[in-house]
Amino acid sequence: MGTLKSLHPLSLHIIIGTLFARTATFMAIPFLSIYLTKVKGISPVEAGAIIGISAFVSLFSGFIGGHLSDRFGRKRIMLASIWVWAFVFIGFAIAEHVFVFFLLNALNGICRSFFEPSSRALLSDVTKQEQKLLVFNLRYAAINVGAAIGPLLGLKMGSASSTSAFWLTAIIYILYGLSLSLMFHRKQYTIASPSGETKEHITLRKACYVLIHDKVFFFAIIGMTLGVAGYSQFSSTIPQYLSSAPYFQNGVELFSYLIVVNAVTVLVAQYPVSRIGKFYSPIVSIMLGTVTVGSGLFLFGLVHQPWLLVIAVVIFTIGEVMMFTMNDLFIDQIANPEMKGLYFGAMSFTSIGNAFGPTLGGFFISVFGVSGGGYLFGSLALLSFLGFPFLFYVSRLLKVEKQHIEYSL
């Protein structure tokens, strides 16, 4: 408790706000496709396009939002995006036409792409070096708690057939925006530039040039993207496999239990795993995470008993935690202080793994079939394993360039 009290008030505010905002979002968005098809009568193809546009625009707008936060300040970008975000959910509640829903979910993705890098860069700005590991882990925990609680609340509220979750989410975002405005306008929370001087305005062209020529960042993105592609199988290939494989009587119910195991393991494993970032470095944790995720995937194809699947999910989830809890700390380590927003935003490129991972998983199912689980998940495990050499090369580059920074709780 004493450690939490020592954190910057803005850090605590953003972490708590993240918990409520993510809970609210997960009350509504997971049910959006059902709402569109069942209530609004939109075709499944159109509903799929509406859902997919958010991830598509996020892929390209993340680094733009991060750059704008460097150029115009974290406060302006965060407040502008959160006010638009609130009106997006009001729009979901009152919209009637396909094009309007398409536009609203595109704005939903843009708002997330602008707000997230800005808030993470702000956390880096205001947090003492020795507390950054704790702060980034608390934020990750808040996201996971929100992702676990939100859908349950949405289910109770009947989000698939009513607009109540949209309205409530909009209200929560409005309250979050008001509270952030109050915090920002308090004099003692003013954020100064890292050097205490006026920062040089870095154009988007120059920012892109820096990213392209940063070998550490470039190879890290490749390695992390491959790891994300392996991780994406949990929500795509694994449920298809469990629901169709002849070894499991009720694969859908079994997968729902495995989701719970995944959520609990994330919360339990987060603190012990974070110690790797303290005693070694974030890149070591991410590197080992790709191997651990791949090991969990490979085990899925070898076992046919539910309790062994639980073990596979625990291993898989530990790898997930090792990869994702250290991403923010890694970016904080390698980014120029005046370009942190850009670097945090450019991490959205790893979402490419979420795009081609499920597609590749579906291809392997068509090739090997659900009865060839060993070959199926062995191939997918290799996908995650391939991230290791790229990240290992990054760790070598960091040592050569002497960019390694010791972190502690």
Side-chain angles (χ1 to χ4, degrees):
M1 185 62 69
T3 303
L4 292 178
K5 289 182 179 179
S6 68
L7 297 179
H8 194 287
L10 262 177
S11 296
L12 286 173
H13 196 85
I14 291 173
I15 291 167
I16 295 171
T18 297
L19 172 62
F20 283 98
R22 285 303 180 98
T23 301
T25 300
F26 278 99
M27 285 192 307
I29 294 301
F31 303 95
L32 179 59
S33 62
I34 302 175
Y35 173 80
L36 292 174
T37 55
K38 300 299 184 183
V39 177
K40 295 300 180 180
I42 294 174
S43 72
V45 173
E46 290 173 326
I50 291 169
I51 299 300
I53 189 62
S54 177
F56 181 77
V57 299
S58 296
L59 181 63
F60 298 100
S61 60
F63 80 102
I64 297 176
H67 168 69
L68 292 177
S69 78
D70 291 330
R71 182 75 183 270
F72 300 107
R74 322 290 188 215
K75 301 176 186 179
R76 292 180 181 178
I77 301 303
M78 288 175 67
L79 290 176
S81 57
I82 205 166
W83 292 128
V84 175
W85 220 344
F87 284 104
V88 164
F89 283 96
I90 293 175
F92 279 137
I94 63 177
E96 295 292 338
H97 302 289
V98 171
F99 175 76
V100 176
F101 280 110
F102 191 83
L103 178 62
L104 287 170
N105 211 32
L107 284 173
N108 177 37
I110 293 173
C111 289
R112 182 173 61 252
S113 298
F114 278 39
F115 185 85
E116 291 295 318
S118 303
S119 64
R120 287 148 66 194
L122 180 59
L123 285 176
S124 176
D125 292 340
V126 303
T127 304
K128 297 177 182 178
Q129 193 66 51
E130 65 271 15
Q131 293 179 321
K132 286 183 178 179
L133 181 60
L134 172 64
V135 165
F136 287 133
N137 274 274
L138 287 174
R139 178 183 174 276
Y140 184 72
I143 291 172
N144 281 285
V145 171
I149 296 175
L152 297 177
L153 295 176
L155 189 63
K156 292 292 184 181
M157 294 175 65
S159 298
S161 57
S162 74
T163 60
S164 55
F166 296 132
W167 287 109
L168 182 57
T169 301
I171 291 171
I172 290 174
Y173 272 96
I174 290 171
L175 293 175
Y176 189 17
L178 289 172
S179 64
L180 276 177
S181 298
L182 291 174
M183 292 288 285
F184 284 145
H185 282 86
R186 294 179 65 175
K187 186 176 180 180
Q188 61 267 40
Y189 300 144
T190 300
I191 311 300
S193 64
S195 62
E197 302 174 354
T198 303
K199 296 191 294 183
E200 173 192 359
H201 289 310
I202 300 174
T203 64
L204 183 60
R205 181 178 179 180
K206 181 179 178 181
C208 292
Y209 178 87
V210 171
L211 284 182
I212 292 171
H213 290 82
D214 187 335
K215 290 174 66 177
V216 169
F217 181 80
F218 179 77
F219 285 103
I221 286 291
I222 295 175
M224 291 180 189
T225 299
L226 290 166
V228 169
Y231 166 74
S232 69
Q233 308 306 320
F234 186 75
S235 57
S236 57
T237 306
I238 289 176
Q240 293 182 60
Y241 172 73
L242 293 178
S243 63
S244 304
Y247 323 113
F248 311 108
Q249 293 184 349
N250 194 337
V252 175
E253 182 179 353
L254 175 59
F255 181 66
S256 66
Y257 291 132
L258 295 181
I259 292 176
V260 175
V261 172
N262 173 259
V264 172
T265 305
V266 166
L267 297 175
V268 172
Q270 188 172 334
Y271 179 79
V273 167
S274 70
R275 308 303 289 180
I276 297 174
K278 174 179 180 179
F279 294 113
Y280 298 97
S281 71
I283 193 62
V284 170
S285 178
I286 298 169
M287 190 166 58
L288 295 176
T290 61
V291 176
T292 310
V293 165
S295 300
L297 283 173
F298 186 60
L299 187 56
F300 257 97
L302 298 180
V303 301
H304 301 150
Q305 294 77 27
W307 68 273
L308 289 175
L309 290 178
V310 170
I311 295 176
V313 168
V314 170
I315 294 172
F316 177 93
T317 306
I318 290 173
E320 170 194 345
V321 174
M322 293 173 80
M323 282 199 300
F324 296 128
T325 58
M326 295 298 165
N327 276 352
D328 289 347
L329 203 55
F330 171 71
I331 294 301
D332 179 75
Q333 172 182 321
I334 67 171
N336 183 308
E338 295 188 354
M339 298 179 66
K340 282 186 179 178
L342 174 74
Y343 273 77
F344 279 116
M347 282 299 294
S348 63
F349 288 127
T350 61
S351 297
I352 295 172
N354 281 322
F356 79 81
T359 303
L360 199 57
F363 171 74
F364 285 139
I365 288 179
S366 66
V367 171
F368 300 116
V370 293
S371 59
Y375 296 106
L376 167 63
F377 286 102
S379 301
L380 295 173
L382 180 61
L383 183 66
S384 188
F385 290 150
L386 288 175
F388 182 88
F390 290 99
L391 296 169
F392 182 77
Y393 179 59
V394 170
S395 70
R396 297 297 94 191
L397 288 176
L398 288 173
K399 286 190 175 182
V400 170
E401 298 176 16
K402 297 182 178 180
Q403 289 183 326
H404 176 72
I405 300 173
E406 295 293 337
Y407 292 93
S408 68
L409 290 176

